[in-house]
Amino acid sequence: MPQKTLQEAARVPGTPAGKVPSKTPLNVLLFLVFLPIVLFPAIVTGLSAQRRYEVDSAAVQREIFVDLAQVGGTQLGLISGLLGNAQQLAQELALAWPELRAQGDPNAMLRTLSARLPIFTTLGVVSADGRIRFHSDRAAIGRSLAGEPYWGRYQQTHRLTFSSLQRDAQGRRIILILVPSASGETLLASYDTVQLQTAFQSPAAQHLQRFSVLTDGDGNVIAHSSEARLLRYPNLAHLPPVARALQGERGTMEFADIETGEARDAAYSPVPLTGWALVLSQPTATSILTPVATTYRITLMTLATSVLLAMLATMLLSRRLATPIERASQRIQRLNQEAVSLDHLRDFPTTPIAEFEGVVRGIRRLYETLAHSILELEAKNHELIFSNQQLEASVENYKRLDKLRSDFINILSHDLRIPLTAIIGYAELLEDDPALPPQSKEYVRQIQEACERMSSQLEELLDYARLEVGSFKLHLEPVELSTEVPALVAFFRPIAARKGLSLELDIAEGLPTIQIDPDRLRQILNNLISNAIKYTPSGGKVRVVARPDNAEVVFEVRDTGIGLTEDDRKHLFEKFFRSERPEVRAEMGTGLGLSLVKGVVEAHGGRLEAEGEPGKGSTFRVILPIRPPEAGDAMA
């Protein structure tokens, strides 16, 4: 009877004898408990990697836009220089045409000029009604331009006009330049775009997928860094960045590539005075960060594999944990179903909880090891991404700088010398003509002066190139400033007088003899004085001061001109910098003069300073040591 009482007391109420109540298996419950603990670090790590990848993409996108805008500004300067040479030569030919026409057969004269000036393929003269009267190609004489769009634009303004892209009788891609002549006629010059295409050619463009495009006002491609793409897509008016540039806008954007449909980044800008468009494009940050994205995917795959392994381990561990507990439960159920005896107690685990605690400690160690490994993997992955980005940015920057330097020197040594040689040869041909009237001799003199200015600008560019590559040399010798400075100022007095300016010289007594390269001294003062005259309105004053200051000599060029803005002072001595102010843009220039002066002054061990306010004039101060540190070596 007592035995039956014990069995009934141990039995679950409402459950028949020998039956176990149905419930969720213990190993499933343990698995559900441990699953969030396993998944939480994996989810956090994946979100962290995703966030880092998005941040890196945004930073690289900003870097791409800044880089494209800077390179586009440099390329726009090169284009403006090439077109400026053609524009200036065409204007000088238009100015001299009445005299040239009076010397003989106009058509023969145009053929001679076209042969001597390789920058132009043909030359012609158009009457006021749009009909070609004279031309270097006899077949073109009599043809009417009245129906051409560019002739209509020219008739509206009667100023120098660039046409859209054309093709001549030989199939060459040309641009027509129309310039009004003093006789009321119009000079028609055919400019071969091969020079622009040469400046745009880039062997690495196809490999790096960075393209630059120059189009006319109708979207026709004038020059392209990829010859293959030029042939496939001769008109890009529908391309979004080109369309915006043709509307006079300047900026950066993302657009779809017309060939592949993939997203690309672009910087676009209108070309001044022509109505043309300049566009640079390259792959987006997402494309550039493909290695980063690959690493990110590898990280996610590793995390997914780790999660699967962790889930499998959790299943095994939960089963391992549940086994001793279920075994104990089974024994308790047997006690509930059968009478208690010593045989049951003999094989019953004395400490089932101790086995459970051992499994818990094992799981804890495994989880800690796995979490630590994941964190280490994430840290190493971030370090690898950062190092790879730095390496790629450095390599790309060095490639870009090296290509800019090579293109710059190539244009200086070849393309810019072609128009200068043609003008000099033409001027010498006219000067040797004994029958040349006095007025024509004056024109020849103007041409020669223009040649001197162009030669000076070219030499300025070459000097800067020498500074860049480290081949700039100084030839120091003693110079008497008391005689050299007045002579330099005297050279500019007629120029200042023609502009209605007062040019004053304030030279202190007892100026010392200074060790300096005399040609570079003249280059420094010529540049500063000519700039002061150029940017000072009529009725103003330019003052040149020279005075000793202990072991140094100070030169100051003061003017009452347009002055300097805060932005001008920040970027004044940077290469290719030209202020956006209209009064500055109205004057021709390369943007290298002050940068070159600064380099020459520093090469002598001196320094260059500038101060001024808008509308209140400016002062440029050159401080040179009387004897530079390297003077002894240079004299030896």
Side-chain angles (χ1 to χ4, degrees), residues 215-483:
T215 75
D216 63 13
D218 298 326
N220 298 314
V221 179
I222 299 175
H224 201 302
S225 58
S226 173
E227 191 72 27
R229 286 208 168 201
L230 171 60
L231 297 176
R232 288 197 297 269
Y233 307 102
N235 187 287
L236 296 176
H238 60 284
L239 199 65
V242 173
R244 291 191 181 184
L246 292 179
Q247 294 173 1
E249 299 180 21
R250 174 182 297 177
T252 56
M253 66 177 296
E254 185 176 296
F255 71 101
D257 187 271
I258 60 176
E259 189 169 50
T260 64
E262 297 178 352
R264 292 180 66 86
D265 292 332
Y268 53 89
S269 172
V271 180
L273 302 179
T274 63
W276 298 353
L278 174 65
V279 175
L280 281 82
S281 71
Q282 75 169 49
T284 61
T286 303
S287 301
I288 295 176
L289 290 177
T290 299
V292 179
T294 302
T295 305
Y296 167 65
R297 287 193 293 269
I298 293 175
T299 301
L300 293 183
M301 291 177 63
T302 304
L303 288 174
T305 303
S306 301
V307 168
L308 291 175
L309 293 176
M311 293 175 63
L312 180 61
T314 302
M315 293 177 62
L316 296 176
L317 291 174
S318 61
R319 183 178 298 275
R320 179 72 180 276
L321 289 171
T323 298
I325 298 176
E326 290 176 345
R327 193 187 312 145
S329 176
Q330 291 173 359
R331 290 186 172 85
I332 293 175
Q333 290 176 8
R334 287 178 60 191
L335 290 176
N336 184 45
Q337 297 171 3
E338 301 175 6
V340 177
S341 65
L342 294 177
D343 295 333
H344 290 112
L345 296 178
R346 187 179 300 111
D347 58 358
F348 194 84
T350 56
T351 55
I353 300 301
E355 183 178 359
F356 177 78
E357 289 177 350
V359 174
V360 170
R361 285 195 298 270
I363 292 176
R364 183 180 294 112
R365 286 195 300 271
L366 179 61
Y367 173 76
E368 290 175 351
T369 302
L370 180 61
H372 188 263
S373 299
I374 292 175
L375 293 177
E376 286 184 344
L377 178 61
E378 182 183 12
K380 294 295 184 182
N381 184 40
H382 288 174
E383 291 177 1
L384 179 60
I385 293 174
F386 181 75
S387 300
N388 189 39
Q389 289 175 345
Q390 285 187 321
L391 180 60
E392 289 182 350
S394 299
V395 171
E396 185 64 23
N397 188 45
Y398 282 127
K399 287 181 179 179
R400 181 175 61 82
L401 291 177
D402 186 66
K403 182 180 183 303
L404 284 177
R405 177 180 298 173
S406 300
D407 291 346
F408 183 70
I409 295 176
N410 181 62
I411 290 175
L412 285 178
S413 60
H414 295 89
D415 294 342
L416 294 184
R417 289 188 178 275
I418 293 175
L420 182 60
T421 303
I423 295 173
I424 292 175
Y426 173 68
E428 291 175 351
L429 177 65
L430 293 179
E431 186 178 23
D432 294 338
D433 189 354
L436 194 67
Q439 187 176 6
S440 297
K441 289 184 178 293
E442 175 62 22
Y443 290 147
V444 173
R445 186 187 63 79
Q446 292 179 6
I447 293 175
Q448 290 174 335
E449 288 181 357
C451 289
E452 292 176 359
R453 290 195 302 271
M454 292 177 67
S455 179
S456 176
Q457 290 177 354
L458 179 57
E459 190 60 33
E460 183 178 89
L461 294 172
L462 288 173
D463 281 343
Y464 195 87
R466 295 187 189 105
L467 278 174
E468 285 284 285
V469 301
S471 61
F472 189 78
K473 301 296 183 182
L474 296 177
H475 303 284
L476 304 181
E477 60 183 64
V479 174
E480 291 288 345
L481 297 179
S482 58
T483 58

Side-chain angles (χ1 to χ4, degrees), residues 51-318:
R51 175 61 180 167
R52 177 59 184 272
Y53 175 67
E54 291 176 352
V55 171
D56 288 344
S57 298
V60 173
Q61 188 84 1
R62 290 193 295 271
E63 291 288 339
I64 289 175
F65 282 146
V66 171
D67 179 62
L68 284 175
Q70 291 176 348
V71 176
T74 301
Q75 200 155 30
L76 186 61
L78 294 178
I79 295 170
S80 300
L82 290 174
L83 295 179
N85 289 334
Q87 172 185 340
Q88 186 174 359
L89 179 56
Q91 288 175 330
E92 291 178 358
L93 288 176
L95 183 64
W97 172 245
E99 295 296 330
L100 296 175
R101 178 181 173 184
Q103 295 180 14
D105 182 3
N107 293 318
M109 182 61 69
L110 289 174
R111 285 194 297 273
T112 301
L113 291 175
S114 179
R116 288 180 173 271
L117 303 176
I119 192 173
F120 298 133
T121 58
T122 60
L123 291 171
V125 176
V126 185
S127 60
D129 61 355
R131 191 169 299 278
I132 298 178
R133 295 190 60 190
F134 310 108
H135 204 278
S136 59
D137 183 4
R138 292 186 180 275
I141 298 175
R143 186 165 63 88
S144 176
L145 305 182
E148 299 292 344
Y150 57 84
W151 179 256
R153 294 197 304 270
Y154 171 75
Q155 287 293 91
Q156 292 176 359
T157 62
H158 207 64
R159 296 180 180 176
L160 185 142
T161 302
F162 287 85
S163 77
S164 58
L165 185 66
Q166 308 284 323
R167 284 193 180 272
D168 61 9
Q170 287 73 35
R172 292 173 296 195
R173 304 166 72 251
I174 60 171
I175 299 295
L176 298 179
I177 304 176
L178 291 82
V179 186
S181 172
S183 63
E185 298 171 317
T186 300
L187 178 71
L188 182 67
S190 174
Y191 179 73
D192 194 348
T193 61
V194 68
Q195 293 188 11
L196 294 174
Q197 179 62 23
T198 301
F200 269 68
Q201 282 179 348
S202 174
Q206 197 70 31
H207 176 68
L208 298 177
Q209 292 297 303
R210 170 180 279 193
F211 302 125
S212 54
V213 181
L214 178 67
T215 75
D216 63 13
D218 298 326
N220 298 314
V221 179
I222 299 175
H224 201 302
S225 58
S226 173
E227 191 72 27
R229 286 208 168 201
L230 171 60
L231 297 176
R232 288 197 297 269
Y233 307 102
N235 187 287
L236 296 176
H238 60 284
L239 199 65
V242 173
R244 291 191 181 184
L246 292 179
Q247 294 173 1
E249 299 180 21
R250 174 182 297 177
T252 56
M253 66 177 296
E254 185 176 296
F255 71 101
D257 187 271
I258 60 176
E259 189 169 50
T260 64
E262 297 178 352
R264 292 180 66 86
D265 292 332
Y268 53 89
S269 172
V271 180
L273 302 179
T274 63
W276 298 353
L278 174 65
V279 175
L280 281 82
S281 71
Q282 75 169 49
T284 61
T286 303
S287 301
I288 295 176
L289 290 177
T290 299
V292 179
T294 302
T295 305
Y296 167 65
R297 287 193 293 269
I298 293 175
T299 301
L300 293 183
M301 291 177 63
T302 304
L303 288 174
T305 303
S306 301
V307 168
L308 291 175
L309 293 176
M311 293 175 63
L312 180 61
T314 302
M315 293 177 62
L316 296 176
L317 291 174
S318 61

